[in-house]
Amino acid sequence: MDKVKNIANKVLAWLKAAPVVKAIGIWVVLLIILAFAVDKLVMPIFSGHFASTGEVPNLEGMTQEAAEKALDEAGFKYEWLAEGRYNAQIPEGLVLVQMPAAGRTAKLGRTVKLTKSLGLREVEIPDLRGKSQKQAAISLSRAGLVQGAIVKGAHQSIPRGVVIRTIPFAGQKVRVGDTVKVVISAGVTTGNTLLPDFAGEQIDNVYAKIEKLGFRVGKIKRKKDSEGRAPGTVIETTPRHGDYLPPDTKIDFVIAD
């Protein structure tokens, strides 16, 4: 009988204590959930809101030393990319590109990546000897160069209208976009005289020069000039200037009316 009473008392005691145990268990679970929420949600928001940030300075056109100093003072790190880029505006060796861009807000200590300018790209003038004037223009364009003035030159073996050489010479390095003059053969010119360019001169001043060169003045045609040149100004000639002509050749003129 006493054993039964003891067991009954233990059961009653456990039942009385059960609500307390359950309450403690619930509080433990809530504390775990709260700690997880603070670690994963609240702290990132809190730390992000109060993190130290700064404005990335404008480094374009700076030397390496000046750019690194500016980033150090602003609280950022730097990394120079191995490959540079060609650019017509920013001289070689100066900062061309930066990431993040200037003016952006970034966390202090972030690495700013920098790219140096290689300056203007240089190319080698192609060898145009023996090519036609049209072929020469295409070759120069493909090389990134501009065909400049066509210069007539005498040559014993290169046929008339074929390239003799360029100015500057083939093989020299120049910058992309530079102008290259092309010397075109006028053929064998023994006994012939080069007709100069009279465009822009007054026709009255040209007569004596034509006679001195051994040519004759041919037809003179007047034309209304849209460029506003003074009446009597030479616009063009036939044959065209730059040709080697035999003595007594007639030169026709178009002049401004």
Side-chain angles (χ1 to χ4, degrees):
M1 192 65 178
D2 292 334
K3 289 184 179 181
V4 174
K5 287 181 179 181
N6 289 335
I7 294 172
N9 290 333
K10 289 181 180 180
V11 172
L12 290 172
W14 183 83
L15 290 174
K16 291 179 180 180
V20 177
V21 174
K22 290 180 180 178
I24 293 173
I26 291 171
W27 275 108
V28 171
V29 172
L30 289 175
L31 287 173
I32 293 173
I33 293 173
L34 181 61
F36 179 82
V38 170
D39 182 61
K40 298 298 183 181
L41 301 175
V42 177
M43 288 304 295
I45 295 173
F46 184 86
S47 60
H49 181 73
F50 292 99
S52 296
T53 59
E55 184 177 303
V56 179
N58 185 6
L59 309 170
E60 183 178 317
M62 285 189 178
T63 63
Q64 179 173 344
E65 182 180 358
E68 291 176 356
K69 182 180 179 181
L71 288 172
D72 284 336
E73 292 176 350
F76 296 101
K77 297 178 181 179
Y78 51 82
E79 177 188 348
W80 292 93
L81 300 183
E83 294 185 1
R85 296 184 189 177
Y86 291 102
N87 187 272
Q89 284 74 43
I90 305 298
E92 183 179 0
L94 303 185
V95 177
L96 176 63
V97 179
Q98 63 180 87
M99 288 298 293
R104 294 285 298 274
T105 300
K107 288 184 180 181
L108 297 181
R110 178 173 177 177
T111 299
V112 178
K113 296 184 178 181
L114 304 169
T115 301
K116 286 183 180 180
S117 170
L118 297 177
L120 284 172
R121 184 165 63 91
E122 289 189 329
V123 293
E124 190 174 286
I125 297 176
D127 187 1
L128 306 178
R129 184 182 176 88
K131 292 187 176 183
S132 68
Q133 185 176 332
K134 183 177 180 181
Q135 290 172 329
I138 293 172
S139 296
L140 288 173
S141 178
R142 286 176 176 172
L145 301 171
V146 178
Q147 179 181 291
I150 298 298
V151 182
K152 294 291 182 70
H155 204 281
Q156 294 294 325
S157 59
I158 295 180
R160 183 184 181 90
V162 176
V163 176
I164 300 174
R165 64 181 182 276
T166 57
I167 306 172
F169 293 111
Q172 292 189 30
K173 286 191 174 182
V174 293
R175 297 179 300 181
V176 169
D178 277 0
T179 298
V180 178
K181 294 181 180 179
V182 179
V183 181
I184 300 291
S185 173
V188 179
T189 59
T190 304
N192 293 348
T193 303
L194 176 69
L195 177 65
D197 186 4
F198 293 114
E201 295 190 40
Q202 282 290 313
I203 187 66
D204 291 340
N205 299 329
V206 174
Y207 293 139
K209 295 179 180 179
I210 290 294
E211 291 179 2
K212 187 176 181 179
L213 290 168
F215 302 136
R216 290 189 296 155
V217 176
K219 297 178 181 178
I220 297 178
K221 180 180 178 182
R222 295 182 178 274
K223 177 182 178 182
K224 289 185 178 181
D225 182 35
S226 59
E227 296 183 11
R229 283 173 283 202
T233 301
V234 176
I235 298 175
E236 61 183 26
T237 61
T238 303
R240 293 184 63 82
H241 67 86
D243 285 345
Y244 284 83
L245 306 171
D248 210 34
T249 299
K250 286 186 177 182
I251 312 299
D252 296 334
F253 290 87
V254 176
I255 63 174
D257 191 0

